[in-house]
Amino acid sequence: MSKKLSQEALRTQWQKALEGVLLKRPTDLIVDNSTFDLNDGVIIDIKDLEDQVENGKADISDIAINLKHPPRQSVYTKLSALLVEMQHATEGVQTFRQNFRALRDTSCKVSCKERERNQKDGVPDAFWTTELIRWLKQVLNIECDLEACHLATMLCKTGYIYPCNVQWNAVNFKISEPDGNMVFRYQTPFYWPNESQFPLDQDHASHLLMREANNHGIPMDEYEIMCLSRLKKVLKHQWDCITQSALTQTSFLEGCCPSDQYINAWQNYAFWRVRRPPAYYKYICKAESCLNGPNRNFPSFTETSIVPSENDKEKKTAMSPSKILTSSCKRSTGPYKLQCKAWGMSFDALLKDELGQLTFEKHLKKEFSEENLAFYLDCIYLRSAPLKELEELIQSIFSEFISPNGATPVNIDTQTLNAVKAEMKTKKTRFVFDLALEHIYKLMKKDSYKRFPSSKLFKETLETAIVPQKPEKEKGKLPKIWRLSQFLTKGKEEDPERGENNK
Amino acid sequence: MPGYRLINQISMANPKAGSQSTSIAELRKEADQLKIKLNEDRKNLDDAKLFEMGAKPDIVNYQARCRRILKGHSSKVLDLDWSLDKRRIVSSSQDGKVLVWDCFAASKEQLISLPTTWVNACAFAPSGCSIACGGLDNKCCVFPVNACSYSNSGSNVAGSTTIRPSGAVGPSDVCSGSIMQQRKVVAMHTSYISACSFTHSDYQILTASGDGSCALWDVESSQLLQSFHGHQSDVMDAALNPMETGNLFISGGCDKRACVWDMRTAKCVQSFQTHKSDINSVRWFPTGEAFATGSDDATIRMYDLRADREIACYEKKSILFGINSVDFSVSGRIIFGAYNDYLVHVWDTIKGTKINSLLGHENRVSCLKMSPDGTAFCSGSWDTTLRVWA
């Protein structure tokens, strides 16, 4: 019995310690009856571990603690370090004592006596956006305001700091101005993401119950009320237990001083705002419904499909996307100037380009060595040819290019020839011609290609190459192709369905 | 990572053979010392620093705007790939949907619903006629793409309008039934697929998997051509040498190691381990002589095969979040990194300075790829959208 219990305890410990690992790879943690597979080549056998613990060889709590910062969480370790630095007494972010008076408009329900007391002292450790941005810029050498704002936003989104603002939403929260007058506070380390990665629904329910009882000046949101009623249904079997725990916590908090209560309420609120944010947007298109025929909710899709909806047929004829796109993106068959220049500079660039290959072939034909290129291209194809054709291909390449009686034998020395022949006899792999290929490649590069840039053919091609023109701009208007995109995104934003979903 | 080491020891050391655990610890220590020595020796061969040499050239100015927002996925976008026609994009998402986009018109062309979730990888075939995707089901499948009207050479996109069945018929219904029949399971691993890509033809696929191996498969016969073992942990990404004559590919994984593999012998010919956390992405320098890796430790590092060492590290004190994907511009002068802090950071390769940060995504940027001609790049994010920047 005791053994079973310890296994249970062990597993919860492990689970807690390893939860963070789940972040990136869903298969990281496979928990079955007896093994934890970390998928890092590390399989932990519970029984094995139990024996170790019994023999005093390993201490479970040690391992659990060691794993609290698994390598995948390096970002959280860094952020935590930054936060510690931030709270330094002298070189950290300058804080001020936040007054309750400032919060009066959030309909705070603290009794008059307490409010007076707090008005005198205020709640310490609050800071302004300006100060936060200034500090970040100074400590991390950030030049750009926008970047510092973004980092501050990320700190909020990951739940290290939180704004003292009832309306904030972890999903679309954004600090846009470096000198905005928002008040921030630190989240307690207990709530930092590396300590508690996946909070349970039970905890959320208990938090919501506490908020229902006493909201400390932060009124319940509509979504929170909905969430509570949903949780009530889902966790019906545990509800007594949850109410009990909520009650205990509340009674514990009642003993604390009001400023502690106030901070605690805010921290809890911020934590759950990050972990269980209100569903602020439902994705506008469900991919499937989107492809299921014309749908007025998806203007972008119907717009670009071939069948025009009747009411904007006129628009269609004016700017059918496919027409505009194909006309504006029309490509001529000839090469571009830059493309051509690259051929002159690098042999690899020439061979990689299909048009380059064609041009080079013409050049080689004049030098009567076009079989080199043909051999090269065939070998490249052979590299990744289908298995079925392999045998046949090797044979045909051999008979055409290597064997002395072939139609167009390539120019390789006897040593290479013999080596290839020997390999043909032993094992016919994809790489059987590699030696010959290397030889031919070098030959082309050093011999034929050297003459290529100065050849008449290349100069002619370069001259006739196309210089792409910028799309003509109409006066004060964007080129057609971008105007279309504006039209499309506009349509999406005005989507009536989206507004409904927001609720 | 003391925890991991400890567990390794515990799992390896059998309780019956207690003395073994100490010897393993010793061996580890020795290996670590050897590694340090190797690094020192490498350092002695240093002749110049890339960033110092790169101080002379002019600063590049790179401004990019988001030109298209591709909306349609209903869950996190995990991977994307460009077709060689420079116009179509395939993307996969966490809910098992794979979408083919026309990124000029920002419209969807095809939807494939997979029976699995977390489609970690997708790739366009060079001909543009099929796509490959793989995810948590440990399989990599190849699907045909209906709109094959673009010329695969990419030289004339003109006149190739996509004719899709009229909207009323619900094309997805029509094909989702048959598409599963047209599906071809090419690769099977013992863990999830983390990356897949076609080699320079339609006939072979290279996959990287969570079981710590990479493998090369024949598409037609679904046969394993070659498997590559050597990573000690999940392989997160693999990339083929851009040069057609090259027989190399690179991979990076959760053992913080980037390996260079020879396709012929299936052996790891070079490996680099200077990252401090998992490598999420590997990408070749356009010439195929160096490569860059992006890691969870918020740095991008560049390794050179000829110098056999790390030649550059792109980091900044203010960048704390990990990197999911990296890619080079066509010339190799600029590196783009997709970061977990919702941004795409743009780096100057030879100066090591950050040129720009592109703000737009509303969640982690999970994948990023340059278009084949280098005029634009596309990034996919956990906010369910893809964005095309130019």
Side-chain angles (χ1 to χ4, degrees), chain B residues 155-201:
Chain B
S155 49
N156 58 334
V157 182
S160 57
T161 44
T162 11
I163 311 295
R164 239 177 306 102
S166 79
V169 190
S172 95
D173 272 10
V174 175
C175 47
S176 64
S178 61
I179 200 98
M180 288 319 276
Q181 287 158 14
Q182 291 168 24
R183 171 173 88 145
K184 192 162 175 51
V185 179
V186 172
M188 285 283 268
H189 277 277
T190 52
S191 186
Y192 64 94
I193 309 275
S194 53
C196 70
S197 69
F198 283 88
T199 59
H200 298 291
S201 77

Side-chain angles (χ1 to χ4, degrees), chain A residues 125-139:
Chain A
D125 291 337
F127 48 93
W128 297 102
T129 323
T130 343
E131 171 61 20
L132 173 68
I133 302 292
R134 186 201 62 79
W135 188 84
L136 283 176
K137 277 171 80 171
Q138 185 199 327
V139 170

Side-chain angles (χ1 to χ4, degrees), chain A residues 14 21 23-28 38-44 48-49 51-52 55 57-58 63 66-67 70-72 74-76 78-79 82 139-143 146-147 150-151 154 157-158 171 174 280-281 283-288 290-294 300-301 304-307 321-322 325-326 329-333 348 351-352 354-355 357 376 380-381 383-388 430-431 434 437 441 478 481-482 484-485 488-489 492 498, chain B residues 1-4 6-8 10-11 13-15 18 67-69 71-74 86-87 97 99 104-108 110-111 113 118 136 153-164 166-168 170-173 191-192 199-201 203-204 210 218 220-221 223 225 232-234 236 242-247 254 256 263-264 277-278 280 286 296-298 316-318 320-322 340-343 354 357 359 362 364 373 382-384:
Chain A
W14 273 111
V21 187
L23 257 183
K24 194 165 74 186
R25 293 172 297 157
T27 54
D28 267 341
L38 274 166
N39 242 338
D40 280 3
V42 186
I43 293 170
I44 306 147
D48 207 55
L49 262 181
D51 290 344
Q52 301 247 347
N55 301 340
K57 272 187 194 151
I63 302 168
N66 275 330
L67 271 177
R72 215 147 295 132
S74 61
V75 59
Y76 294 131
K78 273 185 229 165
L79 287 175
L82 185 73
V139 170
L140 299 175
N141 307 324
I142 305 173
E143 299 99 38
L146 207 68
E147 207 183 317
H150 184 76
L151 187 61
M154 292 306 292
K157 285 192 181 198
T158 42
V171 183
K174 203 171 165 188
Y280 92 109
Y281 71 100
Y283 307 114
I284 350 164
C285 315
K286 276 240 163 171
E288 243 166 322
C290 198
L291 277 167
N292 276 337
S300 81
F301 187 68
T304 45
S305 68
I306 301 302
V307 189
S322 52
L325 287 166
T326 45
C329 302
K330 201 168 195 169
R331 277 171 182 270
S332 46
T333 43
D348 290 322
L351 281 185
K352 251 184 147 182
E354 269 181 49
L355 284 168
Q357 283 171 15
Y376 171 85
I380 295 297
Y381 178 76
R383 280 276 168 84
S384 47
L387 208 57
K388 212 168 58 183
R430 287 164 200 280
F431 312 105
D434 265 17
L437 179 66
Y441 176 81
L478 286 161
I481 180 165
W482 302 134
L484 169 73
S485 83
L488 290 178
T489 44
K492 250 181 198 173
R498 195 181 174 183
Chain B
M1 40 158 265
Y4 273 77
L6 191 53
I7 294 203
N8 260 324
I10 291 167
S11 60
N14 215 312
R67 305 294 185 178
R68 292 284 184 279
I69 303 178
K71 288 181 187 170
H73 278 294
S74 51
K86 303 147 195 158
R87 178 159 180 172
K97 304 274 191 294
L99 278 169
F104 284 10
S107 64
K108 303 165 202 73
Q110 196 177 357
L111 166 89
S113 296
W118 289 85
L136 264 196
S153 68
S155 49
N156 58 334
V157 182
S160 57
T161 44
T162 11
I163 311 295
R164 239 177 306 102
S166 79
S172 95
D173 272 10
S191 186
Y192 64 94
T199 59
H200 298 291
S201 77
Y203 314 113
Q204 283 179 0
D218 185 64
E220 229 166 12
S221 61
Q223 214 169 325
L225 296 174
Q232 282 151 12
S233 177
D234 306 29
M236 296 309 286
M243 297 327 290
E244 283 172 325
T245 39
N247 284 314
C254 292
K256 309 169 194 171
M263 308 254 274
R264 290 172 293 189
S277 191
D278 311 2
N280 288 328
D296 269 353
D297 64 7
K316 207 170 174 232
K317 211 180 165 194
S318 61
L320 300 162
F321 288 80
N340 272 344
D341 60 358
Y342 311 181
L343 295 177
K354 203 186 75 180
S357 300
L359 187 73
E362 287 158 22
R364 295 182 179 196
D373 61 351
W382 281 18
D383 67 2
T384 75

